[in-house]
Amino acid sequence: MRTDSSPGSLPAREHLPAAAAGPPVLDVVIPVYNEEKDLRRCVLRLHEHLTRTFPYAFRVTVADNASVDATPHVAARLAAELPEVRSVRLEQKGRGRALRTVWSASDAPVLAYMDVDLSTDLNALLPLVAPLISGHSDLAIGSRLARSSRVVRGAKREFISRTYNLILRGSLQARFSDAQCGFKAIRRDVAQVLLPLVEDTGWFFDTEMLVLAERAGCRIHEVPVDWVDDPDSTVHIVKTATEDLKGVWRVGKALATGSLPLDRLARPFGDDPRDRDLTDVPQGLARQLVGFCVVGALSTLFYLLLYSGFRLFTGSQVANALALLVSAVANTAANRRLTFGVRGRGGAVRHQAQGLVVFGIGLALTSGSLAALNAASADPDHSTELAVLIAANLAATVLRFLLFRAWVFPDAPPAAPAPGPGPTGAGFPDPYRAWSDATVRLQPVRSAGPDAAGPATEPATDPRSAR
């Protein structure tokens, strides 16, 4: 899992201006491998649909993943016939590699991709990208598992898809409904920040990108789709499932250890009203109270179990101190992550030290309560001790929350670094150059004329034929 920092921060989302000329607003990428039979039909149908229904300039990019059949020649002919179509050749396989390479080099503000089999009905394309154009959302995905989706596929694929998404929800706390549908879109500014954090180059690329985007605070828009299974699909289910499970383990481990700098990405995604400086409106108070109460209830049960265990072989004061110490360390760690949203290891030791100070205050309250009880009764019942401790812990809990919020985990996070002149400005790597391997080469098959979408380029020849 890459832990390098992001290449820049994002501006607030804005509605993309309508323009009849200039670079295309939408770049639809079709990753293909040995698809000589379906490619032409797919591109012609997509091009006709976009020409008829899409109100902005567009481009269709065929990303050939090292095909060994006639796919490159079919793509070249399509690019020669249609000015809005271009062809890109990669010398290594991998759908994720193709998407990352083409998206990183594209000049379109909205980037999308779909599978060559066109299993998803194209009427969902405009609803997919509209929230990205308007500035409402950062990513958009087609969902076959939404209630209003209409899906035709076999029981085997249905079972695998739903099982996989249950795994994502249980292991990575993913809230999106369908990670594997080959029908997604992303804003370019978001892609330039997220793609350097995505490690996978194959089928898990989509899932990893969505999980990281969700954890970073991106807004993901879901579109119910009409989807018909392709019986001739070349996807190897067992191999793909195995690689996906490996990816789930890798990403889950990175998230658990805090090795990803997602905290640097949350605020630059921009126009969150929770980031505004509003008077008389405590930021995040309701959510923090709920989280703190849940953690506090579990910590109290944990503390009482520990106290009852320690009380079997020691006095009440020692048992209280030991139980409170252990539960306080666990309570601080849980509140740090769940209530106040602090990720990573930075400051963890300082937070625990401050938590121990809060523990000392709680110890004084509970120990004082026990001392008062022992002064009033020479041999109090165990149930009476527990009742007194519960009351003292409630008072300590209120004080603990106030100290956590104002001192240990203050609301004001460190200011995000000011963005440079752009994602490829000084100090930031060029997104394509940073990700292009020596064996991955973009090769436009045709030159774009003055009316074509995108910058003009000279035809490139296959380097293997030049040797």
Side-chain angles (χ1 to χ4, degrees):
M1 177 60 63
R2 292 184 172 89
T3 58
D4 52 328
S5 60
S6 62
S9 58
L10 298 176
R13 296 186 298 261
E14 295 181 355
H15 196 299
L16 299 176
V25 170
L26 173 65
D27 192 349
V28 183
V29 181
I30 305 175
V32 292
Y33 174 73
N34 291 347
E35 297 287 356
E36 60 181 1
K37 295 181 180 179
D38 296 330
L39 179 58
R40 182 174 183 85
R41 175 182 59 86
C42 166
V43 172
L44 291 178
R45 181 179 167 190
L46 174 61
H47 181 270
E48 186 275 333
H49 178 83
L50 288 171
T51 302
R52 179 169 47 86
T53 65
F54 194 67
Y56 292 85
F58 66 87
R59 176 193 299 137
V60 177
T61 301
V62 179
D64 176 30
N65 294 328
S67 296
V68 294
D69 63 357
T71 298
H73 303 291
V74 175
R77 286 197 299 269
L78 288 167
E81 296 172 13
L82 303 172
E84 294 85 8
V85 176
R86 69 166 179 165
S87 175
V88 171
R89 168 77 176 181
L90 288 88
E91 298 300 333
Q92 284 184 305
K93 291 178 60 177
R95 183 181 67 172
R97 177 181 287 108
L99 292 176
R100 186 171 61 200
T101 304
V102 177
W103 279 355
S104 297
S106 178
D107 57 348
V110 176
L111 311 167
Y113 97 88
M114 64 179 58
D115 293 333
V116 70
D117 56 17
L118 292 183
S119 294
T120 305
D121 187 89
L122 292 178
N123 287 327
L125 182 56
L126 185 54
L128 182 81
V129 301
L132 310 187
I133 294 174
S134 69
H136 175 271
S137 301
D138 301 297
L139 297 91
I141 64 174
S143 175
R144 299 163 296 185
L145 303 181
R147 289 185 179 272
S148 56
S149 296
R150 294 176 291 190
V151 177
V152 178
R153 62 175 168 179
K156 180 180 179 181
R157 286 182 176 269
E158 181 77 11
F159 174 78
I160 292 174
S161 180
R162 291 188 178 273
T163 301
Y164 180 63
N165 282 281
L166 286 175
I167 292 174
L168 294 181
R169 288 176 178 269
S171 60
L172 301 179
Q173 289 78 51
R175 295 189 297 271
F176 47 85
S177 65
D178 193 350
Q180 295 177 310
C181 182
F183 196 71
K184 296 182 177 68
I186 184 173
R187 286 177 66 101
R188 182 183 62 182
D189 51 5
V190 179
Q192 288 175 335
V193 175
L194 277 180
L195 293 185
L197 299 177
V198 180
E199 181 176 341
D200 192 79
T201 59
W203 292 98
F204 188 70
F205 173 88
D206 305 48
T207 302
E208 186 172 357
M209 180 182 67
L210 288 174
V211 170
L212 299 186
E214 190 173 69
R215 291 298 186 96
C218 289
R219 178 176 288 165
I220 301 176
H221 177 72
E222 295 199 18
V223 177
V225 297
D226 297 342
W227 196 87
V228 179
D229 192 12
D230 178 17
D232 297 325
S233 175
T234 58
V235 178
H236 299 286
I237 297 179
V238 176
K239 180 181 179 181
T240 301
T242 302
E243 294 299 321
D244 286 346
L245 292 177
K246 291 180 180 178
V248 169
W249 170 259
R250 173 175 52 80
V251 172
K253 181 180 178 181
L255 292 173
T257 59
S259 60
L260 288 168
L262 297 181
D263 55 326
R264 307 178 190 178
L265 307 180
R267 184 170 296 273
F269 287 125
D271 40 302
D272 192 332
R274 296 170 296 183
D275 293 337
R276 299 172 188 169
D277 187 13
L278 303 176
T279 58
D280 301 327
V281 180
Q283 295 185 2
L285 179 59
R287 181 187 61 79
Q288 290 178 357
L289 274 174
V290 172
F292 185 82
C293 289
V294 172
V295 172
L298 296 176
S299 297
T300 300
L301 292 176
F302 184 48
Y303 161 79
L304 293 176
L305 290 174
L306 289 175
Y307 176 80
S308 298
F310 291 141
R311 191 68 175 84
L312 297 176
F313 56 84
T314 187
S316 60
Q317 292 287 4
V318 176
N320 173 63
L322 290 175
L324 199 57
L325 175 61
V326 176
S327 61
V329 172
N331 181 277
T332 300
N335 276 305
R336 181 179 187 269
R337 175 65 179 86
L338 301 177
T339 303
F340 298 96
V342 180
R343 299 181 176 89
R345 300 177 181 177
V349 175
R350 175 175 58 84
H351 292 155
Q352 284 291 348
Q354 292 172 313
L356 289 178
V357 174
V358 178
F359 148 75
I361 298 174
L363 178 62
L365 285 174
T366 54
S367 297
S369 300
L370 283 176
L373 177 63
N374 290 327
S377 176
D379 188 18
D381 294 336
H382 183 63
S383 60
T384 305
E385 285 184 350
L386 291 181
V388 170
L389 287 173
I390 290 174
N393 268 284
L394 289 176
T397 297
V398 175
L399 182 59
R400 186 184 303 120
F401 176 75
L402 296 176
L403 289 175
F404 272 179
R405 180 176 170 82
W407 181 46
V408 183
F409 309 108
D411 280 339
T424 57
F428 298 133
D430 176 77
Y432 167 62
R433 194 160 50 245
W435 282 104
S436 59
D437 301 322
T439 55
V440 180
R441 301 170 183 170
L442 281 176
Q443 298 181 28
V445 178
R446 64 180 295 274
S447 59
D451 297 329
T457 56
E458 292 297 326
T461 58
D462 192 329
R464 293 174 297 181
S465 62
R467 293 193 184 105

